[in-house]
Amino acid sequence: MAPYAVAHFKLGLELSGRHLPELWRDTWAYHFQGNERINIFLTNTLEGIEHVTHQAGPLAALTKEANEASAVKRHRPVLVVLGNPPYSNFGRQNRNDFILGLLDDYKRGLKEKKINLDDDFIKFLRWAQWRIEQTGQGVIGYITNNVYLDGLTHRRMRESLLETFDEIYVLNLHGSAKKQEVVPTDGSKDDNVFDITVGVAIVLFVKLPPDKTAKGAKAKKKTDHHPSRRPMGFAEE
């Protein structure tokens, strides 16, 4: 709730032009009309997209918020999805039919009994993939657990992403304490960018407009092992 409230406050303040010289304020400031609002919504991304039944009293505002968020998920053209989704609950949360149904694509054809595909970060990636597919073009930018880059049971997930996106950029920051990773050049400990035990990767998935779509996804990968040498962006090898 706090980030939601702060975002509304800061964007409203910015649009009001309070930071501008008085001479420029009337020209550049935006004045909201009637029931107009900033389109930032409080919602659980992974919940279903059904219309919420109206509730009376103090819950009416939450009902309206939920339905407006649902309308964005269902109908509006979302072109960019950014995030650092949680990746530590082992799939125990967000187990509704909607997101589990989307996850079925990542599990198709797998014969293993334990497939490790119910973690929330995978659900968020699958949702983002679905949402960009609905729009027909767009970009996903995530920083996540890097297990799906080479995980055995993530092979269908990788295949699905390659089928959907035209360009994929991966910056693998490694840092997995579970794998006891080391820096290849000097054998020193490969420190994680966060205080966590799993490896981390930054990824960009790009779906081009239909008239610019190439045949077959182009995946570009950059790897870096030590925080003192980690670049601030992507580079082609």
Side-chain angles (χ1 to χ4, degrees), residues 11-186:
L11 286 174
L13 197 62
E14 185 74 16
L15 290 170
S16 71
R18 299 282 183 180
H19 62 295
L20 297 173
E22 190 171 349
L23 183 64
W24 297 354
R25 195 173 298 161
D26 289 339
T27 302
W28 295 103
Y30 183 81
H31 302 286
F32 289 93
Q33 304 296 320
N35 293 326
E36 197 175 13
R37 58 167 287 172
I38 295 175
N39 287 321
I40 295 177
F41 302 99
L42 182 65
T43 184
N44 179 350
T45 299
L46 300 181
E47 285 182 347
I49 54 177
E50 297 82 10
H51 186 84
V52 179
T53 303
H54 179 75
Q55 301 183 55
L59 295 178
L62 292 178
T63 302
K64 182 179 179 181
E65 186 81 3
N67 285 326
E68 291 185 358
S70 179
V72 171
K73 293 179 187 179
R74 286 183 294 174
H75 304 303
R76 297 183 189 174
V78 176
L79 293 170
V80 180
V81 182
L82 298 174
N84 177 15
Y87 36 101
S88 60
N89 64 51
F90 308 105
R92 290 190 291 264
Q93 299 177 17
N94 296 303
R95 300 191 59 82
N96 60 76
D97 292 341
F98 171 70
I99 192 60
L100 292 180
L102 291 181
L103 274 184
D104 284 343
D105 181 51
Y106 286 176
K107 301 176 181 180
R108 182 157 45 89
L110 299 180
K111 305 299 183 183
E112 291 86 352
K113 292 183 179 179
K114 186 177 181 181
I115 55 179
N116 301 318
L117 288 168
D118 288 327
D119 195 296
D120 264 7
F121 92 88
I122 294 178
K123 294 173 185 172
F124 274 97
L125 185 50
R126 181 66 187 96
W127 182 88
Q129 178 187 0
W130 167 81
R131 194 59 193 80
I132 294 300
E133 283 185 296
Q134 299 303 302
T135 301
Q137 60 183 302
V139 178
I140 300 171
Y142 272 0
I143 179 167
T144 69
N145 186 328
N146 67 2
V147 65
Y148 70 98
L149 298 182
D150 58 6
L152 179 62
T153 58
H154 301 81
R155 59 189 182 275
R156 170 55 199 160
M157 177 181 177
R158 292 190 294 270
E159 181 182 44
S160 177
L161 292 168
L162 284 167
E163 290 170 350
T164 298
F165 296 99
D166 301 294
E167 297 177 6
I168 300 174
Y169 300 85
V170 180
L171 179 57
N172 188 0
L173 300 177
H174 296 276
S176 173
K178 295 181 179 180
K179 293 181 180 179
Q180 297 183 328
E181 289 187 298
V182 297
V183 180
T185 54
D186 58 18

